[in-house]
Amino acid sequence: MHCSVSGEVPEEPVVSKKSGLLYEKRLIERHISEYGKLETGKIVKPRTVQTASIPGMLGMFQNEWDGLMLSNFALEQQLHTARQELSHALYQHDAACRVIARLKKERDEARSLLTQAERQIPMFASEAVIANSSVLSNGKRAAEDDDMAQPGKRVRPGISASIITELTDCNAALSQQRKKRQIPPTLAPIDALERYTQLSSHPLHRTSKPGILSIDIQYSKDIIATGGVDATAVIFDRPSGQIVSALSGHSKRVTSVKFVAEGEFFLTGSADKTVRVWQGSEDGNYDCRHILKDHTAEVQAVTVHATNNFFVTASLDNTWCFYDLSSGLCLTQVADTSKTDGYTSAAFHPDGLILGTGTSEAVVKIWDVKSQANVAKFEGHVGPVTAISFSENGYFLATAAHDSVKLWDLRKLKNFRTLNLYDSDTPTNSVGFDHSGSYIGISGSDIRVYQVGSVKADWNCIKTLPDLSGTGRATCVKFGPESNYIAVGSMDHNLRIFGPTLGKKLHWNHNATF
């Protein structure tokens, strides 16, 4: 029995009738005399014997201190063990990351080898690849039979899933880069193009069979290729003004020439129904690596995919072929069974998943490369579609035919402007955007340069250059690097270069602002 106030055994105990608690009489009387009443709260626990004296309290503190030290020692031991376990776990994690990285590298190498093997191993077409791989030096035959007989029906391996993945990845990368694309500050300004005049003329082809039908430029080296009626392709070094190589081997006119942007490959298409893949060497010579005989009529166009690993050819046999560049293997040959008209032009969209073709019946067809499906048709031209060109921004398509040049909005799939440049007897032979997408060149009875506008804004003619060949037929036009010159081919044997005089060129590079 303990007092509810002091917690000690009372000497004179009293009990509250109301609460039933026990109190020391003197303490409860004193509390009532000072405060008037006693509010009942928690019962005070009785003091232990140890807390009743100073030695007892010191002993209790010592015991609590000892317990605290033992607990702290145990915690330190646990912390040390946890640190060891964490260190071991981090070491295992680092080792696992290294193993994963090595496995990923081996996986990527295996995928690369698999893709390469899929390209290089023809399915049911080994004889064709062997026939196509005869090596020629500058067009001189080594040991091959130039049999131009109609090729037999071949089984095509098709565009594999790995190639489709490669095309899709290239499309995604180029689309992302295009969002950040800016017009280069070194691009020739409009006032400079207005002063362009002929700088030089180079007789590259035979006078007995005059005519340049196709032009392409390798921007990294500033070399120009031309394809002529004389069945030769000429590689010309513009800065030095010298012919690098003259490639013979085709038996009829060369209708299309194309450089591969990366590497030393060069492609030619001809009216002899063949396509040749040439490879350059350090001494400037070009060796023919493949002769492709998959078409049964004139090859009218060659276009290279943005990956620089594939290319497409279009022919008057109403088919287009998708090739692997390294092996020269035709992966697929697509025929449009709905029409019998042949293809007269072809070009890849800058992102590489769309192919545009023009037909001899004035129809422009848009193809999905992955599925080889015809996804759109543009009609309205008169006569064969002689040229197709996609703008660098990927929004516009320019097509040339006998009647005019038409500009198409690929976002809405409609024609938004028609440029009627010549009379009804003068065909439009060529159309092409420059590499920046700022200018467009057109050739017919003369050469005209337009500033690229928009769907609503005008496309203004900047400069009209005369056809100095005297034939009245400028067949092809191509802008040089940064549009600092324009290369023009006509139905004579000369390549003509238009640009500013040296003094004017230095003046604009030094003072012009963009």
Side-chain angles (χ1 to χ4, degrees), residues 173-338:
L174 293 176
S175 298
Q176 188 65 27
Q177 292 174 9
R178 186 163 289 105
K179 296 179 181 179
K180 302 177 182 179
R181 182 183 66 89
Q182 296 181 350
I183 296 177
T186 54
L187 180 71
I190 295 176
D191 59 345
L193 267 75
E194 292 174 344
R195 299 192 297 268
Y196 275 17
T197 185
Q198 179 174 311
L199 301 179
S200 58
S201 177
H202 308 277
L204 303 184
H205 293 269
R206 300 180 211 167
T207 56
S208 59
K209 292 183 178 181
I212 296 176
L213 303 179
S214 179
I215 288 179
D216 196 27
I217 300 176
Q218 190 172 35
Y219 294 115
S220 60
K221 298 181 179 180
D222 200 5
I223 58 177
I224 303 173
T226 61
V229 177
D230 59 359
T232 62
V234 177
I235 309 296
F236 174 76
D237 182 66
R238 189 197 66 86
S240 66
Q242 300 296 319
I243 294 177
V244 176
S245 185
L247 311 181
S248 59
H250 287 293
S251 60
K252 295 183 179 180
R253 63 185 182 276
V254 177
T255 56
S256 181
V257 294
K258 277 293 178 182
F259 283 108
V260 178
E262 297 178 4
E264 299 295 331
F265 287 104
F266 174 66
L267 309 173
T268 57
S270 172
D272 64 9
K273 309 175 187 177
T274 68
V275 176
R276 293 186 177 233
V277 180
W278 309 79
Q279 186 172 15
S281 57
E282 294 181 358
D283 59 2
N285 292 328
Y286 281 77
D287 297 330
C288 182
R289 294 298 178 186
H290 305 289
I291 302 176
L292 312 177
K293 304 178 182 179
D294 298 284
H295 289 293
T296 58
E298 294 184 9
V299 177
Q300 292 288 299
V302 178
T303 179
V304 180
H305 189 269
T307 57
N308 296 307
N309 294 325
F310 311 98
F311 66 94
V312 161
T313 61
S315 169
L316 290 177
D317 63 4
N318 196 33
T319 68
W320 58 267
C321 294
F322 185 92
Y323 288 93
D324 174 73
L325 178 63
S326 61
S327 65
L329 174 65
C330 178
L331 301 177
T332 185
Q333 186 169 15
V334 181
D336 189 354
T337 57
S338 63

Side-chain angles (χ1 to χ4, degrees), residues 341-387:
D341 49 318
Y343 296 115
T344 53
S345 55
F348 271 114
H349 186 273
D351 293 341
L353 290 185
I354 295 176
L355 175 71
T357 58
T359 72
S360 59
E361 298 297 326
V363 178
V364 179
K365 298 180 181 180
I366 306 299
W367 302 83
D368 178 5
V369 177
K370 294 189 295 183
S371 63
Q372 300 94 61
N374 182 204
V375 295
K377 290 183 180 180
F378 299 145
E379 298 178 341
H381 273 300
V382 175
V385 179
T386 55

Side-chain angles (χ1 to χ4, degrees), residues 424-442:
S424 58
D425 296 328
T426 304
T428 307
N429 298 316
S430 176
V431 64
F433 289 93
D434 78 316
H435 193 62
S436 70
S438 301
Y439 306 115
I440 186 171
I442 303 169

